[in-house]
Amino acid sequence: MAQDLTIRLLGRPKVTKDSQLGFQRLARKYVVQGPRASKAGIEDPNNPLFLEVGTADEEFTDHYLVNQQIDPSSSMDRAALTRDFVQIRDTFNAESVSESGDLKKLQRKYTVLRSQHEKGYSALSWAEHPHNSNIPANDPWDYLPEVIKGSEPGVLSYDVFGNVSNTPAGLKQPMVALNGVSIAGSVSIHSEPHVPLADALSHARASSDLTSSWVRATATVDTSNPGVDIWSVSWVAPVTDYWTSQEGKKSNPGSSAPPSIFDFDENGVKVLRLGKSAKGGTSQVVYKSYISFVVGEDPGVELSSFFNGSGATLGPAVSMDFHFVGVDGNHRIASFRQALPNTWKTIDTTDGLKFPSSGTGIEEGNPKPDGSGNYSLADEIADGAGIKIAEGTAKSYIFNYTHQKDEPYPMYQGQPIMKTGGRMDWTHYYDNSSNYSSTGGSSIAPIFSHGNIRIWKIKTVFIS
């Protein structure tokens, strides 16, 4: 190739270490003939004075052109040319990690050549770059340079449910209702199949290939520097799963109020706030929450069934709409119409609700009125046995009792009842006699998203 006599190198280059743009930076100075410093000479299609961004230095071949400038001299016959070359990094030049609440954030800065280049952009990304004026503005994530694409963080090193087996002290084994999912070794609790929480999550992880990974967050690009773009990119990821104690005391004014325990029997209504004193006693029940996270477009069928199935919610509630009619058959001696939010119902059976019997005075050994013999001890016990005033399930009472002639009456607060009507329903129950913890509610909700990828937070409350 013929030597270009219109431009001459002046001495050795200036080399600078630890440049903010790269590992090393060098500047070369030239003297050029006056006509080459004109617009025509700078843009000459056959021999332009200004070279393309990313052109390699002839000696330092891993240093690439980022900037060039012409300085005039005292004569029209010549000018000074300076070319700046940078040894561009193959990775980020700054990194920071922070954590707040349930999320942690990774922030990185990159310097890349503003050109289609191995140290800059691929052909597809360069076509989307705003430097090309015929391309409309795009999301910076649409034209990421190759170095960012090649160094994006991926799957996290920890197991999505790695701490589920670290059950807090004092909490009975946490169980989860299957809600239609089939898992071997289930246990029936109040006629509903359950499995340990750890087994349910292990099944869900294997069935839906659940993972936890970094999710794209923010991307900004500074194009104000000559020849290079400065990228600031961040990713967000969930923290590890964890158990948290809720002792019924607000940790801050914005925290949720502690839940209540509700009971109802022949003596009336009893409501106790967890960990709080009330007339007649204090509830010693403490509830624990297990928090976990998965990343994906959706949390998977199994997790949705376990924690959103059957309308599961973090807002346990009791709803009452029933009444009792006295022995005159006309007047209600008690009426209940109320909704109690953030409340669990205590249960020890699903066989409904019984009130004590008024009895008919039967005693062992007394003769029967029909002359068929004497009453037995079993007859005496049966005469005073409880009378069912409502049919029951694990989550409802249906009040449907009607007194029959010559039969004893059920007693409520010392008054006989002729008839009951209405219903009581609850979303969650607490069984103190069980060998397992009771589920106090659950939810799945996205707490961060980018495009169609979301970080899902799964929260499940247990009481014991």
Side-chain angles (χ1 to χ4, degrees), residues 4-70:
D4 185 358
L5 300 178
T6 63
I7 180 172
R8 177 169 56 87
L9 179 64
L10 295 177
R12 302 299 300 167
K14 176 182 179 182
V15 180
T16 305
K17 283 287 189 181
D18 299 323
S19 166
Q20 292 184 355
L21 298 183
F23 293 118
Q24 188 167 265
R25 184 169 187 163
L26 67 88
R28 291 191 182 277
K29 293 185 178 295
Y30 304 82
V31 60
V32 298
Q33 290 182 357
R36 288 296 307 278
S38 65
K39 183 176 186 297
I42 292 174
E43 300 176 354
D44 185 344
N46 298 314
N47 186 25
L49 183 63
F50 276 10
L51 305 179
E52 290 287 339
V53 170
T55 300
D57 182 75
E58 293 182 358
E59 179 183 3
F60 295 80
T61 56
D62 58 350
H63 290 55
Y64 301 98
L65 182 66
V66 297
N67 191 26
Q68 46 203 330
Q69 68 179 40
I70 294 176

Side-chain angles (χ1 to χ4, degrees), residues 57 74 189 196 230 238 264 312 325 351 360 427 459:
D57 182 75
S74 58
I189 302 177
I230 310 298
F264 180 77
V325 177
D351 190 35
T360 59
T427 58
K459 182 175 183 179

Side-chain angles (χ1 to χ4, degrees), residues 122-142:
S122 67
L124 180 61
S125 294
W126 184 239
E128 300 285 339
H129 194 284
H131 174 80
N132 300 301
S133 58
N134 60 327
I135 302 297
N138 293 299
D139 185 329
W141 289 108
D142 295 335

Side-chain angles (χ1 to χ4, degrees), residues 337-354:
R337 179 172 290 181
Q338 188 176 3
L340 301 175
N342 199 26
T343 304
W344 281 283
K345 170 71 172 68
T346 58
I347 67 171
D348 55 15
T349 179
T350 58
D351 190 35
L353 181 62
K354 294 181 178 180

Side-chain angles (χ1 to χ4, degrees), residues 107-286:
Q107 184 87 30
R108 289 174 176 173
K109 287 189 176 181
Y110 298 81
T111 301
V112 302
L113 293 174
R114 191 183 302 122
S115 67
Q116 181 180 328
H117 194 279
E118 62 177 342
K119 300 290 187 178
Y121 300 88
S122 67
L124 180 61
S125 294
W126 184 239
E128 300 285 339
H129 194 284
H131 174 80
N132 300 301
S133 58
N134 60 327
I135 302 297
N138 293 299
D139 185 329
W141 289 108
D142 295 335
Y143 56 91
L144 284 182
E146 295 304 290
V147 65
I148 299 180
K149 292 179 181 179
S151 61
E152 284 199 76
V155 177
L156 297 168
S157 60
Y158 43 82
D159 185 352
V160 287
F161 306 124
N163 296 316
V164 65
S165 297
N166 299 334
T167 307
L171 185 69
K172 297 177 183 178
Q173 186 176 32
M175 305 292 283
V176 174
L178 291 182
N179 292 323
V181 178
S182 178
I183 301 179
S186 63
V187 175
S188 179
I189 302 177
H190 296 298
S191 303
E192 296 181 338
H194 289 67
V195 294
L197 174 64
D199 291 351
L201 294 179
S202 177
H203 175 84
R205 179 180 56 233
S207 299
S208 301
D209 193 24
L210 300 175
T211 61
S212 190
S213 60
W214 291 96
V215 177
R216 289 177 172 181
T218 62
T220 59
V221 55
D222 178 2
T223 61
S224 62
N225 296 281
V228 294
D229 288 343
I230 310 298
W231 282 80
S232 180
V233 187
S234 67
W235 296 263
V236 167
V239 298
T240 58
D241 59 314
Y242 61 93
W243 286 91
T244 179
S245 297
Q246 302 290 342
E247 304 296 339
K249 180 179 179 181
K250 292 186 178 182
S251 59
N252 59 71
S255 62
S256 59
S260 300
I261 298 295
F262 172 90
D263 197 9
F264 180 77
D265 57 20
E266 68 274 10
N267 296 311
V269 172
K270 183 179 181 180
V271 180
L272 291 178
R273 179 68 55 83
L274 293 190
K276 297 293 184 179
S277 298
K279 291 182 179 180
T282 302
S283 169
Q284 298 301 320
V285 178
V286 176

